[in-house]
Amino acid sequence: MKLAQRKRLAIFGVLAPPLLWTLIFMIVPYAIMFTYSFWTKKFPTFEPDFQFGNYALLFSDPQYYQVLLRTAKIALTVSVSALLLAYPLAYFLASKVQSQRIRMAIYMATVVPLWVSYLLRAYTWKTILGSEGVINSFLVWTGVFDEPTDLFLYNQFSMVVTLTYIFIPFMVMPIYTALEKIPRTLIEASKDLGVSRLPTFLMVTLPLSMPGILAGFTFTFCLTFGDFVAPFLVGGPDGSMIANTVQTQFGTALNWPLGSALSIVMLIIVLTIISLSDRFERAGRLDLA
């Protein structure tokens, strides 16, 4: 056997398992779901068809496009909140902490929550924000409230707080990586030219860290957009998101065609966000070059 043939066989042997796994557990399920989205609901089940009624219903019935808008608003709020909290921390670690040991200790303390169960982290905030939680206990102890209140739980505020805490490591990691790669000589050159700290940050550090910001924002937005556990635990009736609606359609309502149409719309939105983020990141890199 020739060397070129052996190389092709080796490459095929390495790529075949992951490609086969992707085909069976990702491409095929999406194709089946896409097919279901054109079927018709016939009580008590559904039947094959080719019509766009399910997609038309999503944008004609207020309960569906409103939940889409609510989900996008919550995902955007969580992403912005995580960015505002994560960037100062990442900047402090990359620029101000000189000791490598202390830097890694703080970084690992930020990442370690990812090793803990998602449900445990969500339940933790349900306990903190609940009527017997730390916040209510403190407000009752200080006399602000006469008795515990449900003001902090089962609303969009509690969802934003919980989801920001859960997904903030996905914002910190790419921003910290981008900041760490910035050559210190650029910042020193800016100082040598007499530029103060704020203009240096705005003209040098911030633009060079933009790929990390875009990556973290994309991670956080997409993960929040598809979340359904936190709305179930702390969201309440006004905190239902699109993933909860999909779960209802595939479960209680037994309307798989409509649930499939919702899932396809979610997939298109997420892929659009990822594509735009990748395009902006490439454009930013070209401008910086």
Side-chain angles (χ1 to χ4, degrees):
M1 184 180 297
K2 296 181 179 180
L3 181 61
Q5 293 177 332
R6 282 184 292 181
K7 285 184 177 180
R8 284 195 292 268
L9 281 176
I11 294 173
F12 177 78
V14 172
L15 295 180
L19 289 176
L20 187 62
W21 178 277
T22 303
L23 176 65
I24 295 175
F25 294 103
M26 188 172 178
I27 304 300
V28 171
Y30 276 131
I32 294 173
M33 187 170 62
F34 182 71
T35 303
Y36 278 167
S37 67
F38 297 102
W39 288 17
T40 304
K41 176 73 167 65
K42 293 290 186 180
F43 184 83
T45 179
F46 40 87
E47 63 182 24
D49 197 357
F50 185 75
Q51 47 81 35
F52 295 89
N54 296 314
Y55 292 98
L57 182 63
L58 299 183
F59 299 99
S60 61
D61 192 331
Q63 67 173 326
Y64 295 115
Y65 66 74
Q66 285 178 1
V67 76
L68 270 171
L69 293 175
R70 184 193 307 134
T71 302
K73 183 186 74 172
I74 292 174
L76 182 62
T77 305
V78 170
S79 301
V80 172
S81 301
L83 175 60
L84 294 177
L85 293 171
Y87 198 98
L89 174 60
Y91 181 81
F92 175 76
L93 287 179
S95 304
K96 303 301 180 181
V97 180
Q98 302 299 325
S99 173
Q100 183 68 20
R101 182 175 299 178
I102 296 176
R103 183 186 303 176
M104 288 308 300
I106 299 175
Y107 180 81
M108 290 305 298
T110 306
V111 177
V112 158
L114 293 176
W115 302 350
V116 181
S117 169
Y118 178 99
L119 287 175
L120 180 59
R121 286 179 284 160
Y123 267 113
T124 299
W125 275 102
K126 185 176 182 180
T127 303
I128 293 173
L129 299 172
S131 58
E132 301 298 329
V134 176
I135 297 178
N136 263 298
S137 299
F138 175 77
L139 293 176
V140 171
W141 178 72
T142 55
V144 177
F145 292 141
D146 295 329
E147 59 183 15
T149 177
D150 291 332
L151 182 65
F152 306 107
L153 194 60
Y154 301 125
N155 50 46
Q156 294 186 20
F157 166 77
S158 60
M159 287 179 56
V160 170
V161 171
T162 302
L163 290 169
T164 300
Y165 167 75
I166 290 174
F167 294 130
I168 197 171
F170 294 98
M171 186 71 76
V172 172
M173 289 187 289
I175 293 177
Y176 171 74
T177 302
L179 288 171
E180 196 178 32
K181 292 180 178 179
I182 297 176
R184 295 293 174 264
T185 54
L186 295 177
I187 299 174
E188 292 173 0
S190 178
K191 293 179 180 179
D192 292 340
L193 292 172
V195 182
S196 59
R197 290 184 178 181
L198 182 58
T200 297
F201 173 78
L202 294 176
M203 293 187 293
V204 179
T205 305
L206 185 60
L208 290 175
S209 64
M210 195 56 66
I213 294 175
L214 288 173
F217 198 93
T218 304
F219 277 135
T220 307
F221 185 92
C222 293
L223 290 171
T224 303
F225 193 84
D227 191 88
F228 70 94
V229 176
F232 177 76
L233 292 177
V234 300
D238 294 332
S240 177
M241 294 172 65
I242 189 65
N244 303 104
T245 306
V246 172
Q247 182 189 24
T248 301
Q249 296 302 322
F250 277 100
T252 307
L254 200 64
N255 192 348
W256 289 20
L258 184 58
S260 299
L262 279 167
S263 301
I264 294 298
V265 170
M266 287 181 63
L267 178 63
I268 292 172
I269 293 173
V270 169
L271 291 178
T272 301
I273 295 296
I274 294 174
S275 300
L276 289 175
S277 175
D278 181 66
R279 177 168 296 183
F280 287 146
E281 183 178 350
R282 290 174 184 270
R285 287 179 177 177
L286 289 175
D287 291 338
L288 291 172

